[in-house]
């Protein structure tokens, strides 16, 4: 089994920044893609950003130029640096990791952007 622990959510100011982290632990021999998804109240869960094992990245159009995804393979950790926050970024953010044994989701961390 693989466990994912997310951290870094909370209250952010419009125009401000927050940084999310997701650390994977457990029975991991290799991690492929790592990513972040978000789900606002009453909406579907959508991709925010994903990074492959070799560093290729993909972003949702709504966050391009504002959010940056990165990973530390030695620590099995993925990060999401969120800058220029907007109220519409408010959502529960979920980490997703694809390993050789399956797809795993974190429990989510709430990000609220409000003044």
């Amino acid at each position: 089994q693989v466990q994912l622990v997310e951290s870094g959510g909370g209250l952010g100011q419009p125009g401000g920044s927050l940084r999310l982290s997701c650390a994977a632990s457990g029975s991991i021999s290799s991690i492929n893609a790592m990513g972040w998804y978000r789900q606002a109240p009453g909406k579907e869960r959508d991709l925010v950003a994903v990074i492959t094992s070799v560093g290729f990245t993909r972003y949702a159009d709504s966050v391009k130029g504002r959010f940056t995804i990165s990973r530390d393979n030695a620590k099995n950790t993925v990060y999401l640096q969120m800058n220029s926050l907007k109220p519409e970024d408010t959502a529960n953010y979920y980490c997703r990791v694809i390993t050789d044994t399956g797809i795993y989701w974190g429990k989510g961390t709430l990000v609220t952007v409000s003044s």
Side-chain angles (χ1 to χ4, degrees):
Q1 286 294 321
V2 174
Q3 294 80 42
L4 302 177
V5 178
E6 298 136 328
S7 61
L11 179 63
Q13 299 278 337
S17 298
L18 287 173
R19 188 190 194 212
L20 305 183
S21 299
C22 173
S25 62
S27 302
I28 302 172
S29 59
S30 67
I31 296 180
N32 299 318
M34 306 181 82
W36 291 94
Y37 290 70
R38 68 185 181 187
Q39 186 169 20
K43 296 189 177 182
E44 296 183 350
R45 188 175 298 186
D46 293 323
L47 172 72
V48 177
V50 64
I51 184 168
T52 70
S53 59
V54 294
F56 290 116
T57 59
R58 182 161 66 96
Y59 296 91
D61 288 342
S62 59
V63 306
K64 282 181 181 177
R66 301 188 298 122
F67 290 10
T68 302
I69 190 170
S70 61
R71 62 189 282 175
D72 184 333
N73 291 329
K75 296 181 179 180
N76 290 334
T77 299
V78 61
Y79 306 95
L80 185 68
Q81 178 66 43
M82 305 186 293
N83 298 330
S84 302
L85 287 167
K86 302 178 180 180
E88 51 263 43
D89 294 321
T90 296
N92 275 302
Y93 283 71
Y94 298 90
C95 172
R96 188 183 84 154
V97 170
I98 301 175
T99 77
D100 55 328
T101 60
I103 299 173
Y104 302 90
W105 289 89
K107 294 182 178 180
T109 184
L110 179 62
V111 170
T112 303
V113 181
S114 174
S115 56

